[in-house]
């Protein structure tokens, strides 16, 4: 597994700060009546202003057409921004990434649009708490899959389920590097965590069952049972002083 030098971590910190700024802009814009496409355009302006490149645009097959993902309500991840208008009572997940001097950042959050149901708010809060429980496991000497075990524990204790088909990942000079970081206990403890390792930890938590389905656009992942889903992600380095969250402003 790759271990990043102090110089590399400095670049990843800068990429992480661009992602944090994209989040800030998206969070301020996301209100009833606003389109997800408008939020994507604002995120593009942040990338341009910071001289950063997008790691989402043209990614994969079919080539991804935007610099952020916007996943509303039953959409779990990879929702494509466009003419879709946000409405009071929606929950919206925004996933953003950036490349600075060849190094990647990747982070996501879910937010309420106006007033949402108490159950929707609880899903958002539990998913964020699950992410932080996972981050808390990122200490030197611990095993990688303790992250997923902690995430799963928090999500399931609240009566929610954790998505299996999409997982976190190591990150550095590519957005998606090996190994994967599942949001559940995969049955083995996995490798020992060492200083300089960097992971994107990203629980996707469903209010209903864990099953997923991909829409005809080839990207948008939704809950198979139509239940709400939330997604939180940070890019985090393992350091001798504990986890350092590179995508926190
Ligand atoms: Mg992401
Ligand atoms: Mg990711």
């Amino acid at each position: 597994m790759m271990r990043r030098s102090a110089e590399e971590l400095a670049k990843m910190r800068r990429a992480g700060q661009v992602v944090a700024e994209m989040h800030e802009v998206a969070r301020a814009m996301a209100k009833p009546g606003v389109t997800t496409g408008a939020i994507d355009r604002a995120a593009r302006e942040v990338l341009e202003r910071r001289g950063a490149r997008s790691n989402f645009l043209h990614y994969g097959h079919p080539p991804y057409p935007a610099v952020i993902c916007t996943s509303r309500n039953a959409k779990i991840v990879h929702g494509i921004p466009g003419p879709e208008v946000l409405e009071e009572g929606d929950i919206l997940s925004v996933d953003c990434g950036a490349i600075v001097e060849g190094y990647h950042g990747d982070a996501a959050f879910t937010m309420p649009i106006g007033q949402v149901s108490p159950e929707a708010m609880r899903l958002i809060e539990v998913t964020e708490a699950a992410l932080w429980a996972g981050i808390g496991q990122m200490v030197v000497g611990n095993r990688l899959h303790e992250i997923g075990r902690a995430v799963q524990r928090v999500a399931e204790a609240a009566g929610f389920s954790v998505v299996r088909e999409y997982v976190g990942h190591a990150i550095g000079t590519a957005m998606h590097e090996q190994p994967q970081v599942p949001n559940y206990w995969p049955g083995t403890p996995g490798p020992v965590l060492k200083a300089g390792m960097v992971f994107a930890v990203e629980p996707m938590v469903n209010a209903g069952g864990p099953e997923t389905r991909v829409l005809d656009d080839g990207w948008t992942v939704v809950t198979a049972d139509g239940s709400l889903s939330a997604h939180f992600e940070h890019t985090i380095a393992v350091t001798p002083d504990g986890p350092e969250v590179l995508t926190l402003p």
Side-chain angles (χ1 to χ4, degrees), residues 8 66 75 88 91 116 230 242:
E8 290 180 294
K75 294 177 182 173
E88 177 91 16
I91 64 169
V116 303

Side-chain angles (χ1 to χ4, degrees), residues 19-228:
V19 175
E21 190 175 334
M22 293 165 84
H23 277 202
E24 197 182 326
V25 164
R27 203 178 264 286
M29 276 186 79
K31 291 186 171 69
V34 170
T35 66
T36 52
I39 300 173
D40 182 65
R41 286 192 292 277
R44 284 177 198 243
E45 287 170 14
V46 173
L47 288 167
E48 279 169 28
R49 194 160 65 232
R50 295 292 169 204
R53 288 197 302 124
S54 175
N55 38 15
F56 283 35
L57 190 65
H58 308 319
Y59 184 92
H61 304 282
Y64 190 73
V67 304
I68 68 173
C69 297
T70 49
S71 306
R72 195 167 70 117
N73 297 335
K75 294 177 182 173
I76 301 170
V77 284
H78 305 165
I80 300 172
E84 180 181 41
V85 177
L86 299 177
E87 291 175 22
E88 177 91 16
D90 285 342
I91 64 169
L92 178 71
S93 301
V94 178
D95 196 350
C96 301
I99 311 171
V100 171
E101 287 185 62
Y103 288 83
H104 291 243
D106 183 12
F109 66 93
T110 301
M111 65 178 283
I113 304 301
Q115 191 73 32
V116 303
S117 72
E119 186 66 357
M121 204 60 225
R122 194 171 71 92
L123 177 68
I124 292 172
E125 287 165 1
V126 165
T127 307
E128 187 169 21
L131 169 60
W132 284 101
I135 291 170
Q137 296 297 320
M138 293 184 62
V139 292
V140 172
N142 202 2
R143 297 293 200 108
L144 179 69
H145 296 322
E146 293 296 343
I147 297 171
R149 175 139 78 177
V151 165
Q152 181 177 24
R153 216 174 252 156
V154 171
E156 293 183 355
F160 299 137
S161 65
V162 157
V163 169
R164 303 294 199 277
E165 286 90 355
Y166 304 89
V167 295
H169 46 93
I171 180 169
T173 50
M175 180 161 57
H176 296 132
E177 297 184 345
Q178 290 297 325
Q180 294 189 335
V181 184
N183 294 302
Y184 55 91
W185 178 252
T188 55
V192 174
L193 298 178
K194 294 180 178 155
M197 291 178 175
V198 185
F199 301 103
V201 178
E202 50 178 315
M204 287 146 260
V205 177
N206 297 349
E211 295 79 15
T212 69
R213 194 163 65 80
V214 179
L215 299 187
D216 288 340
D217 62 21
W219 278 107
T220 310
V221 182
V222 299
T223 57
D225 60 9
S227 66
L228 294 178

